[in-house]
Amino acid sequence: MERAMERQKILLRHLNPVSSSNSSLKHEPSLLSPVNCVSEVSPMAAFGDDIVIVAAYRTAICKARRGGFKDTLPDDLLASVLKAVVERTSLDPSEVGDIVVGTVIAPGSQRAMECRVAAYFAGFPDSVPVRTVNRQCSSGLQAVADVAASIRAGYYDIGIGAGVESMSTDHIPGGGFHGSNPRAQDFPKARDCLLPMGITSENVAERFGVTREEQDMAAVESHKRAAAAIASGKLKDEIIPVATKIVDPETKAEKAIVVSVDDGVRPNSNMADLAKLKTVFKQNGSTTAGNASQISDGAGAVLLMKRSLAMKKGLPILGVFRSFAVTGVEPSVMGIGPAVAIPAATKLAGLTVSDIDLFEINEAFASQYVYSCKKLELDMEKVNVNGGAIAIGHPLGATGARCVATLLHEMKRRGKDCRFGVISMCIGTGMGAAAVFERGDSVDNLSNARVANGDSH
Amino acid sequence: MPVFKAPFNGYSVKFSPFYESRLAVATAQNFGILGNGRIHVLELAPGAPGVTESVAYDTADAVYDVCWSESHDSVLIAGIGDGSVKIYDTALPPPSNPIRSFQEHAREVQSVDYNPTRRDSFLTSSWDDTVKLWAMDRPASVRTFKEHVYCVYQAVWNPKHGDVFASASGDCTVRIWDVREPGSTMIIPGHEYEILSCDWNKYDDCILATSSVDKTVKVWDVRSYRVPLAVLNGHGYAVRKVKFSPHRRSLIASCSYDMTVCLWDYMVEDALVGRYDHHTEFAVGIDMSVLVEGLMASTGWDELVYVWQQGMDPRAS
């Protein structure tokens, strides 16, 4: 009946026009059906200048110093993913405008040189430049965001955002950052930047009441989900097998191997075993080796370009880069970063946290991971569905880029119900970064559009 | 002249682009406010009454518009009041019809238009403020154009440029779109009141006519759209549909709630060149045959469909 009345109203308005101002004509609000509202969740539309991801791949993540990549050099590691994104999309490497690599621990200039070498290993010509970026644990994600921004700014049309870390080669300072400026001691916040990450984890656990049990449970869940993902074979979509060598520590014999499985995952992880572990950073604290991210080796790479170019090249669109936000927080509780960055990034995308269907939140420490999820009231069925850094590992600079591969491939698997995804991590010295992605083919797409060449037929 | 009496109130009439004696009519029960709908396929024949029904399809809700496929001579597409878009094939037996039904629009589908140049796609416009682009072989719409803020009464393809179309909306604007572009390429705030219809000039691809609740028909050149080329006054009430002649460059037909069908030559000082007052209720549907010069059809809420030659009296037998 309502519909009939609405039709009558519309017809009557033709005969007795209400007024001449455009804004007064509106539909009766009660007739908005729920089906219609789905399209009004967000103003996303498909535009030719959207920055899209056409390929995202990662290497397996292996335990530093003991795992599959312990004798693999970082440039070889990076070269494998750089080569993959170009080969698998049949892209001419010379078309890439820039390669930006997130990488953290190694000395800056040395690592930047190694990345250039990696590009050559991967078959890129002289003309393709390379640079690195360091925003601690978010470097991989920052690299992707930088490439997206550069494409949007018109610096180039095609870019690769990547990340690499070989924690077998470069060791993170266990006792916190090495502070050489005595003045830092005079500024409490500056002093806090020098805290070992594990202490910040204890700070978060204490200040926000995250118990040892909750942290161990998160660890068990991470291993369980990662093991299930490996067993199901779904990770084959995103992992590039790397042919490398491994050296027996005793005999020094070299063996050729192919690494394609995350070797840090412990499928039999359980609460009882975790409870036995001693706390590492604080006596009677809650952070142990079992509920913290592993120290690992790995690399990831993401190929980005504008949607119009992807369509022109006939490349499938894996995901759409929607927004990126990085926010600063107190260094002493740096782990809360995601709780602040995720709302910021979703807001920039014109969404709310409840609009997000899938999350990849770096499990630097179970304490901060649990806190962030609780603070944002996330549905844990949507977070780290294939496990997280506690099980998989956290190769610092690579994490952001590898999360892009994991997130977008999982969103693709989940189909239309999974439209928006978020990647987020906390950052040492007190920051949080987050990026919003949209599933590749969930936006209305005119696939018979052709580049206009004057005569449309 | 051939007259057809439908059981329901007429909403739209369209000549087939393949057969000069065939037309389709969209009708709705109870003036389209509440009830069922029916699509009639009519054949013009010599002798009285002159028009016979070859097949009819019933629908659960009002049929507001119908259009013929340009690629298959027996296929027609209907826009329904429940938001569905249905495809019918007259070559198949009635129980097999409709061959497709797309349920995507959230509100009444107000117009359907088949692409005359590319012949592979069609547009629907709806009271849900959107225009949707469809291809015959796709299970879902190819694209949704959402910019208007009120009912989109009509979306019409440009007869020369296969990717360009215009949409007329109750938000008092006409938007020109190119399907290759992300959004509309032009917005013409054509009237102070709702714009109920628009149509492209078949000979000059930049000329567009709009008809409005303000009782006028305006003719625009999209290259200089701030001022209309012509403002055609003469209707006593809102002008429901406007159509450019396929045979004469400057001839426009319009039908209105004032129950008349008018013919205009917008290049001439005294533009009104013909007026037909055969309907006894709102005249809401009108078409001009592409295959037979001068052949026109109209339908209205008086449940009648008239087919006549310009210059003759529609009621003459």
Side-chain angles (χ1 to χ4, degrees):
Chain A
M1 256 345 267
E2 269 180 38
R3 228 190 208 174
M5 281 168 56
E6 175 69 8
R7 288 181 189 179
Q8 257 184 314
K9 278 200 189 85
I10 288 180
L11 287 165
L12 279 168
R13 272 196 208 121
H14 295 174
L15 296 164
N16 295 311
V18 177
S19 88
S20 55
S21 72
N22 303 358
S23 56
S24 65
L25 279 171
K26 265 191 274 278
H27 292 292
E28 303 297 318
S30 60
L31 285 173
L32 263 180
S33 67
V35 172
N36 198 22
C37 285
V38 169
S39 64
E40 271 148 42
V41 160
S42 95
M44 301 296 166
F47 292 100
D49 61 357
D50 284 340
I51 310 297
V52 299
I53 294 111
V54 301
Y57 295 107
R58 66 176 182 94
T59 63
I61 310 293
C62 294
K63 295 185 288 231
R65 283 179 258 143
R66 289 174 295 139
F69 286 133
K70 72 177 184 65
D71 299 301
T72 306
L73 291 167
D75 32 22
D76 287 323
L77 210 50
L78 179 62
S80 63
V81 287
L82 290 182
K83 192 152 183 225
V85 291
V86 161
E87 251 175 17
R88 295 198 179 192
T89 52
S90 305
L91 189 71
D92 179 356
S94 61
E95 289 189 71
V96 176
D98 200 2
I99 303 176
V100 180
V101 186
T103 182
V104 181
I105 311 174
S109 181
Q110 171 78 14
R111 177 51 50 88
M113 183 274 292
E114 286 164 359
C115 289
R116 178 81 162 140
V117 166
Y120 278 118
F121 285 172
F124 286 88
D126 293 338
S127 55
V128 179
V130 177
R131 73 168 169 95
T132 56
V133 65
N134 190 336
R135 202 198 288 268
Q136 312 290 7
C137 304
S138 69
S139 300
L141 188 64
Q142 183 72 62
V144 172
D146 282 357
V147 170
S150 296
I151 296 175
R152 179 147 288 165
Y155 296 160
Y156 45 80
D157 294 325
I158 303 177
I160 297 178
V164 67
E165 203 75 47
S166 172
M167 296 172 86
S168 296
T169 312
D170 307 298
H171 310 297
I172 192 169
F177 287 104
H178 186 60
S180 51
N181 191 335
R183 276 205 330 135
Q185 298 302 320
D186 301 333
F187 289 78
K189 293 276 171 79
R191 215 168 49 220
D192 289 344
C193 289
L194 303 169
L195 288 171
M197 294 296 105
I199 299 290
T200 69
S201 168
E202 294 289 356
N203 290 343
V204 168
E206 195 182 295
R207 195 193 290 194
F208 301 105
V210 184
T211 65
R212 169 80 183 258
E213 281 69 40
E214 283 175 304
Q215 294 179 49
D216 285 347
M217 266 191 337
V220 169
E221 190 62 25
S222 186
H223 280 282
K224 192 164 99 181
R225 290 182 179 188
I230 294 175
S232 71
K234 57 161 103 164
L235 299 178
K236 289 204 182 69
D237 295 334
E238 67 204 61
I239 295 184
I240 303 295
V242 178
T244 181
K245 66 173 195 291
I246 195 154
V247 178
D248 188 302
E250 265 127 80
T251 69
K252 308 289 178 210
E254 261 187 38
K255 195 168 83 164
I257 55 167
V258 174
V259 180
S260 59
V261 177
D262 302 323
D263 66 14
V265 180
R266 291 188 287 270
N268 301 321
S269 190
N270 59 72
M271 292 293 288
D273 289 343
L274 285 174
K276 292 186 203 139
L277 293 172
K278 281 208 261 290
T279 62
V280 181
F281 301 97
K282 186 170 136 181
Q283 255 192 358
N284 304 321
S286 51
T287 305
T288 69
N291 58 30
S293 58
Q294 297 178 39
I295 295 175
S296 313
D297 305 323
V302 180
L303 181 61
L304 299 101
M305 60 184 70
K306 281 197 181 150
R307 183 193 297 277
S308 52
L309 187 54
M311 282 168 63
K312 201 161 150 186
K313 289 184 172 301
L315 289 169
I317 293 171
L318 186 59
V320 185
F321 184 89
R322 284 298 178 199
S323 71
F324 173 76
V326 67
T327 52
V329 300
E330 273 185 63
S332 62
V333 287
M334 66 93 200
I336 67 171
V340 183
I342 292 176
T346 54
K347 186 166 168 196
L348 277 175
L351 301 166
T352 63
V353 179
S354 50
D355 294 325
I356 308 298
D357 304 300
L358 198 63
F359 293 84
E360 278 287 325
I361 300 182
N362 193 39
E363 295 162 1
F365 296 95
S367 61
Q368 54 86 216
Y369 169 67
V370 169
Y371 162 77
S372 301
C373 294
K374 264 204 256 177
K375 179 84 167 88
L376 297 174
E377 292 170 16
L378 301 180
D379 176 2
M380 294 316 288
E381 291 302 308
K382 297 183 183 173
V383 188
N384 294 4
V385 298
N386 292 323
I390 292 175
I392 301 173
H394 177 28
L396 304 186
T399 285
R402 87 101 187 138
C403 283
V404 175
T406 304
L407 181 83
L408 292 183
H409 281 103
E410 181 62 30
M411 284 171 75
K412 181 177 168 183
R413 257 174 247 123
R414 291 191 165 209
K416 280 203 150 54
D417 281 342
C418 191
R419 186 171 175 189
F420 295 110
V422 153
I423 297 173
S424 181
M425 64 281 287
C426 55
I427 301 169
T429 70
M431 288 176 262
V436 177
F437 294 83
E438 183 170 359
R439 194 171 148 270
D441 51 3
S442 54
V443 182
D444 275 354
N445 206 331
L446 186 67
S447 58
N448 66 348
R450 285 174 270 279
V451 175
N453 55 0
D455 185 36
S456 58
H457 50 272
Chain B
M1 286 271 111
V3 173
F4 176 77
K5 173 93 172 55
F8 301 154
N9 309 98
Y11 257 86
S12 173
V13 61
K14 293 273 172 74
F15 284 101
S16 164
F18 289 93
Y19 303 107
E20 41 188 64
S21 59
R22 183 173 298 176
L23 44 144
V25 185
T27 66
Q29 215 175 6
N30 300 319
F31 310 108
I33 303 225
L34 185 67
N36 302 334
R38 186 175 289 180
I39 301 152
H40 301 267
V41 178
L42 307 178
E43 293 288 336
L44 299 169
V51 91
T52 54
E53 178 188 278
S54 63
V55 69
Y57 303 109
D58 282 304
T59 55
D61 203 339
V63 187
Y64 288 133
D65 197 12
V66 69
C67 79
W68 289 95
S69 160
E70 296 271 346
S71 57
H72 295 85
D73 62 355
S74 58
V75 173
L76 47 82
I77 301 163
I80 317 289
D82 60 5
S84 67
V85 177
K86 291 180 164 37
I87 305 190
Y88 294 84
D89 189 340
T90 60
L92 296 176
S96 314
N97 277 298
I99 56 175
R100 293 270 173 71
S101 179
F102 303 110
Q103 189 76 43
E104 278 194 34
H105 279 296
R107 296 286 311 272
E108 289 76 352
V109 178
Q110 197 58 192
S111 88
V112 201
D113 190 41
Y114 207 93
N115 192 317
T117 29
R118 296 182 48 160
R119 302 201 178 126
D120 60 357
S121 49
F122 61 93
L123 292 168
T124 55
S125 78
S126 164
W127 286 1
D128 68 2
D129 313 345
T130 68
V131 175
K132 278 183 189 280
L133 171 67
W134 311 77
M136 289 297 290
D137 53 351
R138 296 282 190 94
S141 64
V142 177
R143 187 145 165 220
T144 301
F145 303 90
K146 191 173 165 70
E147 278 186 32
H148 284 294
V149 295
Y150 194 56
C151 306
V152 187
Y153 290 108
Q154 189 161 18
V156 186
W157 289 104
N158 186 298
K160 184 147 176 246
H161 302 286
D163 296 307
V164 174
F165 68 92
S167 62
S169 167
D171 66 8
C172 311
T173 65
V174 164
R175 277 170 202 260
I176 313 292
W177 311 74
D178 184 323
V179 301
R180 297 162 299 188
E181 298 291 323
S184 60
T185 53
M186 192 181 292
I187 303 171
I188 305 177
H191 295 259
E192 292 289 306
Y193 291 82
E194 293 187 64
I195 305 180
L196 301 182
S197 172
C198 61
D199 194 30
W200 295 92
N201 188 313
K202 314 301 178 203
Y203 291 86
D204 194 329
D205 54 333
C206 294
I207 307 262
L208 184 69
T210 59
S211 75
S212 168
V213 166
D214 67 5
K215 311 173 197 167
T216 67
V217 171
K218 288 189 187 176
V219 183
W220 307 83
D221 185 328
V222 299
R223 291 164 295 203
S224 54
Y225 60 89
R226 306 217 175 271
V227 177
L229 293 178
V231 179
L232 309 173
N233 290 295
H235 277 298
Y237 281 99
V239 187
R240 181 85 188 206
K241 279 262 172 68
V242 70
K243 185 100 185 138
F244 260 103
S245 163
H247 293 103
R248 276 176 55 193
R249 179 181 215 107
S250 55
L251 190 69
I252 298 174
S254 65
C255 64
S256 161
Y257 286 100
D258 69 359
M259 308 191 291
T260 65
V261 171
C262 288
L263 277 178
W264 316 80
D265 183 333
Y266 75 89
M267 305 275 264
V268 166
E269 178 65 47
D270 192 5
L272 185 63
V273 296
R275 179 184 233 122
Y276 303 94
D277 57 358
H278 47 291
H279 282 292
T280 55
E281 277 288 351
F282 296 156
V284 294
I286 176 180
D287 196 19
M288 303 175 86
S289 172
V290 173
L291 300 170
V292 180
E293 180 166 357
L295 194 63
M296 298 178 58
S298 73
T299 185
W301 283 14
D302 56 1
E303 303 166 2
L304 295 171
V305 180
Y306 287 90
V307 185
W308 75 101
Q309 269 290 339
Q310 273 168 42
M312 326 252 325
D313 182 351
R315 283 166 293 199
S317 50

